Short mmCIF file of all heavy atoms in Angstrom, two decimals:
data_model
loop_
_atom_site.label_atom_id
_atom_site.label_comp_id
_atom_site.label_asym_id
_atom_site.label_seq_id
_atom_site.Cartn_x
_atom_site.Cartn_y
_atom_site.Cartn_z
N GLY A 1 80.37 138.92 123.03
CA GLY A 1 80.60 137.51 123.35
C GLY A 1 79.37 136.90 123.99
O GLY A 1 78.90 135.79 123.62
N LEU A 2 78.75 137.62 124.96
CA LEU A 2 77.51 137.18 125.62
C LEU A 2 76.42 136.97 124.57
O LEU A 2 75.68 135.95 124.60
CB LEU A 2 77.08 138.13 126.69
CG LEU A 2 75.80 137.79 127.45
CD1 LEU A 2 75.95 136.54 128.23
CD2 LEU A 2 75.44 138.93 128.42
N ALA A 3 76.19 137.94 123.66
CA ALA A 3 75.15 137.87 122.74
C ALA A 3 75.32 136.68 121.83
O ALA A 3 74.36 135.85 121.56
CB ALA A 3 75.08 139.12 121.80
N PHE A 4 76.48 136.42 121.27
CA PHE A 4 76.72 135.32 120.46
C PHE A 4 76.63 133.99 121.23
O PHE A 4 76.21 132.93 120.74
CB PHE A 4 78.11 135.40 119.78
CG PHE A 4 78.11 136.26 118.53
CD1 PHE A 4 78.66 137.54 118.50
CD2 PHE A 4 77.58 135.73 117.36
CE1 PHE A 4 78.71 138.35 117.43
CE2 PHE A 4 77.57 136.55 116.24
CZ PHE A 4 78.13 137.84 116.20
N GLY A 5 77.06 134.08 122.51
CA GLY A 5 76.94 132.83 123.37
C GLY A 5 75.46 132.47 123.66
O GLY A 5 75.17 131.27 123.62
N VAL A 6 74.66 133.47 123.94
CA VAL A 6 73.17 133.17 124.08
C VAL A 6 72.63 132.61 122.79
O VAL A 6 71.81 131.64 122.90
CB VAL A 6 72.46 134.52 124.58
CG1 VAL A 6 70.97 134.28 124.45
CG2 VAL A 6 72.84 134.86 125.96
N HIS A 7 72.89 133.22 121.68
CA HIS A 7 72.42 132.74 120.43
C HIS A 7 72.88 131.27 120.21
O HIS A 7 72.10 130.46 119.79
CB HIS A 7 72.88 133.61 119.28
CG HIS A 7 72.39 133.13 117.90
ND1 HIS A 7 73.15 132.29 117.12
CD2 HIS A 7 71.26 133.27 117.29
CE1 HIS A 7 72.51 132.03 116.05
NE2 HIS A 7 71.37 132.67 116.08
N ARG A 8 74.15 130.94 120.39
CA ARG A 8 74.64 129.59 120.24
C ARG A 8 74.00 128.68 121.29
O ARG A 8 73.76 127.49 121.01
CB ARG A 8 76.14 129.59 120.37
CG ARG A 8 76.91 130.41 119.32
CD ARG A 8 76.44 129.98 117.87
NE ARG A 8 76.54 128.57 117.66
CZ ARG A 8 76.00 127.94 116.64
NH1 ARG A 8 75.31 128.66 115.75
NH2 ARG A 8 76.23 126.64 116.43
N ALA A 9 73.74 129.15 122.44
CA ALA A 9 73.09 128.28 123.44
C ALA A 9 71.74 127.86 122.99
O ALA A 9 71.34 126.70 123.12
CB ALA A 9 72.98 129.07 124.76
N LEU A 10 70.88 128.77 122.45
CA LEU A 10 69.62 128.50 121.99
C LEU A 10 69.67 127.62 120.75
O LEU A 10 68.81 126.75 120.57
CB LEU A 10 68.84 129.82 121.69
CG LEU A 10 68.39 130.57 122.96
CD1 LEU A 10 67.88 132.00 122.48
CD2 LEU A 10 67.38 129.85 123.70
N ASP A 11 70.67 127.86 119.89
CA ASP A 11 70.85 127.02 118.73
C ASP A 11 71.09 125.56 119.16
O ASP A 11 70.61 124.66 118.58
CB ASP A 11 71.97 127.57 117.87
CG ASP A 11 72.20 126.77 116.56
OD1 ASP A 11 71.54 127.32 115.58
OD2 ASP A 11 72.94 125.88 116.53
N ASN A 12 72.03 125.39 120.09
CA ASN A 12 72.38 124.12 120.62
C ASN A 12 71.24 123.44 121.36
O ASN A 12 71.16 122.23 121.53
CB ASN A 12 73.64 124.22 121.49
CG ASN A 12 74.91 124.33 120.63
OD1 ASN A 12 75.11 123.63 119.72
ND2 ASN A 12 75.64 125.34 120.94
N ALA A 13 70.34 124.32 122.00
CA ALA A 13 69.19 123.73 122.61
C ALA A 13 68.34 122.97 121.63
O ALA A 13 67.74 121.90 121.96
CB ALA A 13 68.34 124.80 123.35
N GLY A 14 68.19 123.58 120.45
CA GLY A 14 67.49 122.85 119.36
C GLY A 14 68.17 121.60 119.03
O GLY A 14 67.50 120.62 118.61
N ALA A 15 69.54 121.68 119.07
CA ALA A 15 70.26 120.43 118.75
C ALA A 15 70.20 119.35 119.79
O ALA A 15 70.47 118.17 119.55
CB ALA A 15 71.74 120.72 118.47
N VAL A 16 69.67 119.67 121.00
CA VAL A 16 69.36 118.71 122.04
C VAL A 16 68.01 118.11 121.79
O VAL A 16 67.75 116.87 121.77
CB VAL A 16 69.41 119.37 123.41
CG1 VAL A 16 68.93 118.33 124.47
CG2 VAL A 16 70.87 119.80 123.74
N VAL A 17 67.06 119.06 121.53
CA VAL A 17 65.62 118.58 121.35
C VAL A 17 65.46 117.71 120.14
O VAL A 17 64.74 116.62 120.17
CB VAL A 17 64.74 119.83 121.24
CG1 VAL A 17 63.31 119.40 120.83
CG2 VAL A 17 64.68 120.57 122.59
N GLY A 18 66.10 118.07 119.01
CA GLY A 18 66.04 117.23 117.84
C GLY A 18 66.41 115.89 117.92
O GLY A 18 65.61 114.93 117.63
N PRO A 19 67.65 115.49 118.36
CA PRO A 19 68.00 114.11 118.50
C PRO A 19 67.17 113.37 119.52
O PRO A 19 66.88 112.18 119.34
CB PRO A 19 69.46 114.22 118.96
CG PRO A 19 69.95 115.48 118.47
CD PRO A 19 68.80 116.40 118.59
N LEU A 20 66.82 114.05 120.65
CA LEU A 20 66.01 113.34 121.65
C LEU A 20 64.63 112.98 121.00
O LEU A 20 64.11 111.90 121.27
CB LEU A 20 65.82 114.18 122.90
CG LEU A 20 67.09 114.40 123.75
CD1 LEU A 20 66.77 115.37 124.93
CD2 LEU A 20 67.51 113.07 124.28
N LEU A 21 64.03 113.88 120.31
CA LEU A 21 62.76 113.64 119.70
C LEU A 21 62.92 112.56 118.62
O LEU A 21 62.04 111.71 118.47
CB LEU A 21 62.27 114.94 118.98
CG LEU A 21 60.81 114.80 118.38
CD1 LEU A 21 59.88 114.37 119.48
CD2 LEU A 21 60.49 116.17 117.83
N ALA A 22 64.04 112.51 117.92
CA ALA A 22 64.33 111.51 116.94
C ALA A 22 64.40 110.12 117.62
O ALA A 22 63.75 109.11 117.13
CB ALA A 22 65.62 111.67 116.20
N ALA A 23 65.08 110.02 118.76
CA ALA A 23 65.14 108.74 119.57
C ALA A 23 63.76 108.26 119.97
O ALA A 23 63.45 107.04 119.85
CB ALA A 23 66.00 108.93 120.74
N VAL A 24 62.97 109.26 120.45
CA VAL A 24 61.59 108.89 120.85
C VAL A 24 60.75 108.40 119.66
O VAL A 24 60.05 107.33 119.78
CB VAL A 24 60.89 110.04 121.59
CG1 VAL A 24 59.45 109.82 121.81
CG2 VAL A 24 61.59 110.42 122.87
N LEU A 25 60.75 109.09 118.61
CA LEU A 25 59.97 108.65 117.43
C LEU A 25 60.42 107.36 116.84
O LEU A 25 59.59 106.58 116.40
CB LEU A 25 60.02 109.76 116.39
CG LEU A 25 59.46 111.14 116.76
CD1 LEU A 25 59.61 112.17 115.70
CD2 LEU A 25 57.95 111.00 117.08
N LEU A 26 61.73 107.06 116.88
CA LEU A 26 62.21 105.80 116.47
C LEU A 26 61.79 104.64 117.37
O LEU A 26 61.41 103.55 117.01
CB LEU A 26 63.71 105.82 116.29
CG LEU A 26 64.27 106.59 115.13
CD1 LEU A 26 65.86 106.61 115.19
CD2 LEU A 26 63.89 105.92 113.83
N THR A 27 61.83 104.98 118.68
CA THR A 27 61.44 103.95 119.67
C THR A 27 59.99 103.57 119.54
O THR A 27 59.61 102.34 119.74
CB THR A 27 61.66 104.52 121.11
OG1 THR A 27 63.05 104.90 121.27
CG2 THR A 27 61.28 103.52 122.16
N ILE A 28 59.07 104.49 119.22
CA ILE A 28 57.70 104.13 119.03
C ILE A 28 57.36 103.58 117.66
O ILE A 28 56.20 103.27 117.38
CB ILE A 28 56.82 105.40 119.35
CG1 ILE A 28 57.02 106.51 118.33
CG2 ILE A 28 57.04 105.92 120.78
CD1 ILE A 28 56.08 107.67 118.46
N GLY A 29 58.37 103.43 116.83
CA GLY A 29 58.28 102.83 115.52
C GLY A 29 57.82 103.74 114.43
O GLY A 29 57.29 103.19 113.38
N LEU A 30 57.92 105.03 114.51
CA LEU A 30 57.52 105.94 113.39
C LEU A 30 58.53 105.80 112.29
O LEU A 30 59.75 105.84 112.44
CB LEU A 30 57.53 107.35 113.89
CG LEU A 30 56.74 108.43 113.01
CD1 LEU A 30 55.25 108.05 113.05
CD2 LEU A 30 57.05 109.79 113.54
N PRO A 31 58.04 105.64 110.99
CA PRO A 31 58.88 105.43 109.93
C PRO A 31 59.77 106.70 109.72
O PRO A 31 59.33 107.83 109.97
CB PRO A 31 57.92 105.29 108.71
CG PRO A 31 56.71 104.77 109.34
CD PRO A 31 56.63 105.47 110.69
N LEU A 32 61.02 106.58 109.11
CA LEU A 32 61.82 107.64 108.88
C LEU A 32 61.19 108.70 107.92
O LEU A 32 61.44 109.87 108.15
CB LEU A 32 63.22 107.14 108.29
CG LEU A 32 64.25 108.17 107.89
CD1 LEU A 32 64.69 108.89 109.20
CD2 LEU A 32 65.45 107.50 107.26
N ARG A 33 60.44 108.31 107.00
CA ARG A 33 59.83 109.23 106.10
C ARG A 33 58.89 110.16 106.88
O ARG A 33 58.87 111.38 106.59
CB ARG A 33 59.05 108.50 105.03
CG ARG A 33 58.29 109.40 104.05
CD ARG A 33 57.65 108.63 102.93
NE ARG A 33 58.72 108.04 102.04
CZ ARG A 33 58.45 107.28 100.98
NH1 ARG A 33 57.15 106.94 100.68
NH2 ARG A 33 59.42 106.79 100.24
N ASP A 34 58.17 109.59 107.76
CA ASP A 34 57.24 110.46 108.59
C ASP A 34 57.93 111.41 109.48
O ASP A 34 57.53 112.56 109.71
CB ASP A 34 56.27 109.59 109.37
CG ASP A 34 55.30 108.77 108.56
OD1 ASP A 34 55.19 109.09 107.33
OD2 ASP A 34 54.72 107.76 109.05
N ILE A 35 59.12 110.99 109.98
CA ILE A 35 59.95 111.85 110.89
C ILE A 35 60.42 113.06 110.02
O ILE A 35 60.43 114.14 110.54
CB ILE A 35 61.14 111.04 111.45
CG1 ILE A 35 60.60 109.96 112.38
CG2 ILE A 35 62.04 112.00 112.14
CD1 ILE A 35 61.75 109.07 112.95
N LEU A 36 60.91 112.80 108.77
CA LEU A 36 61.35 113.86 107.93
C LEU A 36 60.25 114.81 107.63
O LEU A 36 60.44 116.07 107.58
CB LEU A 36 61.93 113.24 106.68
CG LEU A 36 63.18 112.36 106.83
CD1 LEU A 36 63.53 111.72 105.50
CD2 LEU A 36 64.37 113.25 107.37
N LEU A 37 59.03 114.36 107.37
CA LEU A 37 57.95 115.28 107.07
C LEU A 37 57.58 116.15 108.23
O LEU A 37 57.12 117.23 108.07
CB LEU A 37 56.77 114.41 106.58
CG LEU A 37 56.91 113.67 105.21
CD1 LEU A 37 55.71 112.82 104.94
CD2 LEU A 37 56.98 114.70 104.11
N LEU A 38 57.72 115.62 109.46
CA LEU A 38 57.39 116.37 110.64
C LEU A 38 58.26 117.63 110.79
O LEU A 38 57.85 118.55 111.52
CB LEU A 38 57.51 115.50 111.92
CG LEU A 38 56.33 114.50 112.07
CD1 LEU A 38 56.69 113.57 113.28
CD2 LEU A 38 54.96 115.15 112.28
N THR A 39 59.41 117.66 110.18
CA THR A 39 60.34 118.81 110.29
C THR A 39 59.74 120.06 109.72
O THR A 39 60.19 121.19 109.94
CB THR A 39 61.66 118.53 109.63
OG1 THR A 39 61.46 118.34 108.25
CG2 THR A 39 62.33 117.30 110.25
N LEU A 40 58.59 119.91 108.91
CA LEU A 40 57.98 121.10 108.38
C LEU A 40 57.41 121.98 109.42
O LEU A 40 57.30 123.21 109.34
CB LEU A 40 56.92 120.67 107.32
CG LEU A 40 56.17 121.80 106.61
CD1 LEU A 40 57.19 122.50 105.77
CD2 LEU A 40 55.06 121.15 105.75
N ILE A 41 56.92 121.44 110.54
CA ILE A 41 56.22 122.16 111.56
C ILE A 41 57.14 123.19 112.26
O ILE A 41 56.88 124.42 112.23
CB ILE A 41 55.55 121.24 112.60
CG1 ILE A 41 54.53 120.29 111.85
CG2 ILE A 41 54.94 122.01 113.72
CD1 ILE A 41 53.95 119.27 112.79
N PRO A 42 58.22 122.76 112.87
CA PRO A 42 59.11 123.75 113.51
C PRO A 42 59.77 124.67 112.43
O PRO A 42 60.04 125.91 112.71
CB PRO A 42 60.19 122.91 114.25
CG PRO A 42 60.17 121.62 113.52
CD PRO A 42 58.77 121.37 113.11
N GLY A 43 59.91 124.19 111.27
CA GLY A 43 60.49 125.10 110.19
C GLY A 43 59.52 126.23 109.96
O GLY A 43 59.99 127.41 109.76
N LEU A 44 58.22 125.97 109.81
CA LEU A 44 57.27 127.03 109.50
C LEU A 44 57.20 127.99 110.74
O LEU A 44 57.06 129.24 110.54
CB LEU A 44 55.92 126.53 109.27
CG LEU A 44 55.77 125.77 107.96
CD1 LEU A 44 54.37 125.07 107.84
CD2 LEU A 44 55.97 126.71 106.78
N LEU A 45 57.34 127.50 111.96
CA LEU A 45 57.32 128.36 113.20
C LEU A 45 58.51 129.30 113.17
O LEU A 45 58.49 130.46 113.48
CB LEU A 45 57.27 127.52 114.39
CG LEU A 45 55.99 126.77 114.63
CD1 LEU A 45 56.23 125.81 115.90
CD2 LEU A 45 54.80 127.71 114.88
#
């Protein structure tokens, strides 16, 4: 239970960072296409 909980916690941490980053990028006026292209960086990591 603890192992799956830790894994889900880290998974959900990414789900926090993602929307917050999306809100920031939209606020500064970055086009949606550029936001989508930026997902390649964390994906490669």
Side-chain angles (χ1 to χ4, degrees):
L2 179 61
F4 278 102
V6 167
H7 178 266
R8 296 308 305 167
L10 290 170
D11 186 90
N12 285 309
V16 174
V17 171
L20 290 178
L21 186 56
V24 171
L25 295 176
L26 286 174
T27 301
I28 65 177
L30 195 67
L32 179 59
R33 176 174 295 178
D34 293 345
I35 295 177
L36 295 173
L37 291 174
L38 285 175
T39 63
L40 182 62
I41 297 174
L44 290 174
L45 292 174

